[in-house]
Amino acid sequence: QVQLAESGGGVVQPGRSLRLSCAASGFTFSSYAMHWVRQAPGKGLEWLAVIWYDGSNKYYGDSVKGRFTISRDNSKNMLYVQMSSLRAEDTAVYYCARDRVGVKSNGFDNWGQGTLVTVSS
Amino acid sequence: DIPMTQSPSSLSASVGDRVTITCRASQSISTYLNWYQQKAGKAPKLLIYHASDLQSGVPSRFSGSGSGTDFTLTISSLQPEDFATYYCQQSYSTPYTFGQGTKLDIK
């Protein structure tokens, strides 16, 4: 069965960097677009970034553009997001999610359990 | 960006009720509209994609309709496990924006 498992969350000081990872299994990872989505405590869902199946295209939400970088390693079935210049408002649970398709988007059909990032001094 | 607006923001209903949640896009998104269910402390779950296509394994009491700017999610007969928060999301263009959510609780 499809499994997505995020890791790398924790407490980080404002201005510092952090890299989250998402380990994928149970499907052909290299065939699907992948996303990062976050949810601040008590708030709604915020889409952050997408990377196409082959890594050829990447797109970002306005709030993280220029600070976050999405990447993937299809040989290791891994998705990443490198987060820099972190702010208090980046505090959230971060989810990786699989798209139903390899390019563009048609719904996120599998999600990880999420990893909590807390930005605080 | 394409803001998505859901209504209502919260809703109280009883088991067996028929419930409708609406979602409006600020511009036409054709049928690039998805619906998710999220229970407290859990990851979201895809219910409907492409406005009206039922995701595999989702009960048939869930249905979606609409195109252009106006969409609806209908639960034909509420079950106890359906009390949750529901989000719409457009996948027409990046950023793939979500609605603010509709919290459905027990009356």
Side-chain angles (χ1 to χ4, degrees):
Chain A
Q1 73 280 21
V2 174
Q3 289 192 319
L4 298 170
E6 303 92 341
S7 60
V11 179
V12 60
Q13 293 179 329
R16 303 297 291 261
S17 298
L18 194 67
R19 188 179 82 158
L20 305 182
S21 301
C22 172
S25 61
F27 66 102
T28 304
F29 180 71
S30 59
S31 294
Y32 294 88
M34 297 294 297
H35 304 260
W36 287 99
V37 176
R38 71 183 178 187
Q39 187 168 36
K43 302 298 184 183
L45 300 169
E46 180 186 11
W47 177 83
L48 299 179
V50 61
I51 184 167
W52 288 10
Y53 73 103
D54 59 355
S56 61
N57 285 279
K58 308 172 186 179
Y59 301 95
Y60 298 91
D62 294 340
S63 65
V64 302
K65 198 175 298 182
R67 298 190 301 126
F68 288 15
T69 302
I70 189 171
S71 62
R72 65 191 298 160
D73 185 336
N74 285 344
S75 68
K76 297 181 179 178
N77 292 348
M78 294 293 295
L79 176 72
Y80 306 100
V81 63
Q82 179 70 44
M83 307 185 295
S84 62
S85 303
L86 284 163
R87 310 163 179 166
E89 52 266 36
D90 294 318
T91 294
V93 173
Y94 286 73
Y95 296 101
C96 64
R98 188 187 82 166
D99 207 290
R100 295 186 63 258
V101 295
V103 299
K104 299 189 178 181
S105 182
N106 196 16
F108 307 168
D109 64 354
N110 284 274
W111 297 64
Q113 82 287 353
T115 188
L116 177 62
V117 173
T118 302
V119 183
S120 174
S121 54
Chain B
D1 294 17
I2 303 177
M4 305 298 292
T5 304
Q6 287 180 236
S7 61
S9 296
S10 62
L11 175 60
S12 294
S14 302
V15 173
D17 283 355
R18 180 183 181 90
V19 166
T20 297
I21 298 169
T22 65
C23 179
R24 175 165 287 177
S26 62
Q27 66 182 73
S28 177
I29 58 171
S30 183
T31 54
Y32 289 94
L33 192 283
N34 312 303
W35 289 98
Y36 300 86
Q37 176 194 67
Q38 187 180 32
K39 297 181 179 178
K42 300 294 187 181
K45 172 187 176 182
L46 179 65
L47 300 175
I48 302 284
Y49 62 95
H50 210 239
S52 60
D53 290 334
L54 192 67
Q55 173 67 4
S56 175
V58 174
S60 59
R61 62 181 180 272
F62 291 92
S63 64
S65 65
S67 66
T69 60
D70 295 313
F71 302 87
T72 60
L73 172 70
T74 299
I75 310 172
S76 60
S77 178
L78 271 175
Q79 298 302 300
E81 59 269 29
D82 299 339
F83 292 96
T85 300
Y86 293 84
Y87 294 92
C88 65
Q89 180 218 15
Q90 64 84 14
S91 52
Y92 179 79
S93 66
T94 60
Y96 296 133
T97 40
F98 288 90
Q100 80 278 15
T102 296
K103 185 174 182 180
L104 176 56
D105 60 22
I106 301 173
K107 183 184 288 184

